[in-house]
Amino acid sequence: MAAKICEGKTKKVFAAENDGSKVIIFFKDDITAFNGKRHDIIPEKGAISAYISSAIFKLLNENGVKTHFIEYIPPNKMLAWKLNMIPLEIVCRNIATGSLLKRLPMLKKGERLKKPIIEFFYKSDELGDPLLNECHLEYIVNREAIEEMKQITLKANEILKKFFEELGFTLVDFKLEFGTTMQGELMIGDELTCDTMRLWINGESFDKDIYRRGGSPEDVLKAYRKVYEAIKERIELK
Ligand code: 5GP
């Protein structure tokens, strides 16, 4: 068994055998909310998330947006480039909802934004992922990297918005994490799944908000399966 590099709430990362530049990401069946205060195991969720993330990252890679994705390993793993992760969460929003409404109360829930809003948060469970401004950011990464992350996120948003629209979903918002390869190349890492993006059909959620609002594990699985089936129709992974 390959050596485990780290483990989070929903994933484990292992060293890829014979290649120090790659990792194997194992998607767990766990779901958590409110900083781990609510926790359940949903059989099949890991496989669904591994597929969704692999398919979306493949789509981005093929459209000129670099991600760490290399290969889907059925049913619940992904081969990826090993990254030195930047401790930031970059959120891109098309529609007003979630924590944005606390900062901009003049917006109505569900209102389309004039243009996408990008926000940076410091990744820290202990501090509750605080929002950062441009001055704060310079203590974490250089200006060029900030600008590059913004541009990559906006490009990913355009590709994903169109993709999900064609599948009948509205891409409300999503969260990205970035890292650099051993060669210093900046790319998207982590995951892009129903845990990390909001997808609506006529205002109804097909994402982790179901669980955040107290929905049952069965309701969560039903919604995640719908997204998975729709993606699978368009992107077949071997
Ligand atoms: P909000 O800031 O409105 O709570 O979240 C904005 C978007 O980023 C949502 O799609 C949400 O799922 C995602 N997001 C932000 N922070 C986190 C996080 O710590 N964990 C997960 N799974 N998603 C997050």
Side-chain angles (χ1 to χ4, degrees):
M1 187 67 185
K4 186 163 83 178
I5 297 173
C6 60
E7 178 166 359
K9 293 192 277 278
T10 58
K11 296 186 293 299
K12 290 181 199 173
V13 181
F14 297 93
E17 271 168 55
N18 309 321
D19 193 340
S21 65
K22 295 174 185 172
V23 293
I24 292 170
I25 302 174
F26 169 91
F27 288 76
K28 304 197 282 187
D29 286 335
D30 300 60
I31 187 165
T32 67
F34 316 117
N35 226 339
K37 285 189 196 79
R38 186 174 182 206
H39 176 224
D40 280 282
I41 308 279
I42 306 181
E44 217 188 299
K45 176 183 177 270
I48 287 177
S49 295
Y51 195 98
I52 292 177
S53 203
S54 296
I56 292 177
F57 281 164
K58 182 170 183 272
L59 175 77
L60 291 176
N61 282 347
E62 288 171 355
N63 284 277
V65 174
K66 284 236 170 89
T67 79
H68 67 158
F69 170 76
I70 300 172
E71 199 184 318
Y72 172 55
I73 307 171
N76 53 9
K77 297 193 213 58
M78 187 169 100
L79 181 68
W81 296 111
K82 183 176 184 174
L83 300 183
N84 207 350
M85 294 305 289
I86 299 167
L88 291 175
E89 296 190 343
I90 292 95
V91 170
C92 180
R93 304 173 187 274
N94 297 306
I95 302 230
T97 192
S99 71
L100 183 70
L101 298 176
K102 292 184 203 155
R103 289 183 283 286
L104 296 175
M106 68 294 290
L107 293 177
K108 280 200 269 311
K109 185 177 172 186
E111 183 177 334
R112 184 160 283 280
L113 300 166
K114 282 187 245 171
K115 56 178 190 174
I117 288 182
I118 306 255
E119 294 173 326
F120 289 82
F121 298 86
Y122 182 58
K123 190 176 165 69
S124 163
D125 282 346
E126 212 182 351
L127 302 177
D129 301 341
L131 179 72
L132 302 174
N133 71 24
E134 303 260 332
C135 298
H136 301 147
L137 279 171
E138 286 191 45
Y139 288 87
I140 300 164
V141 274
N142 61 45
R143 271 198 167 280
E144 295 76 58
I146 298 166
E147 200 43 47
E148 207 181 333
M149 283 190 276
K150 265 193 210 163
Q151 294 314 319
I152 294 172
T153 303
L154 286 172
K155 187 164 176 196
N157 185 42
E158 289 313 309
I159 296 163
L160 296 177
K161 230 173 25 178
K162 182 166 170 282
F163 174 70
F164 280 112
E165 206 174 288
E166 286 168 5
L167 297 184
F169 294 94
T170 302
L171 177 65
V172 174
D173 55 34
F174 59 94
K175 183 261 297 176
L176 295 178
E177 294 183 25
F178 285 81
T180 49
T181 60
M182 285 161 141
Q183 287 74 34
E185 192 177 8
L186 183 73
M187 59 178 71
I188 297 171
D190 194 51
E191 66 175 288
L192 203 30
T193 62
C194 295
D195 279 358
T196 61
M197 57 187 166
R198 287 193 173 102
L199 293 170
W200 289 358
I201 298 178
N202 298 325
E204 187 189 343
S205 297
F206 288 83
D207 54 60
K208 196 170 142 182
D209 271 356
I210 297 169
Y211 188 71
R212 294 187 184 107
R213 290 189 203 117
S216 69
E218 292 73 28
D219 289 343
V220 173
L221 185 60
K222 208 169 138 206
Y224 282 34
R225 248 199 217 132
K226 187 178 168 73
V227 175
Y228 161 73
E229 298 289 352
I231 292 176
K232 203 164 180 284
E233 285 259 309
R234 289 286 300 275
I235 303 175
E236 187 71 51
L237 298 173
K238 273 158 246 127

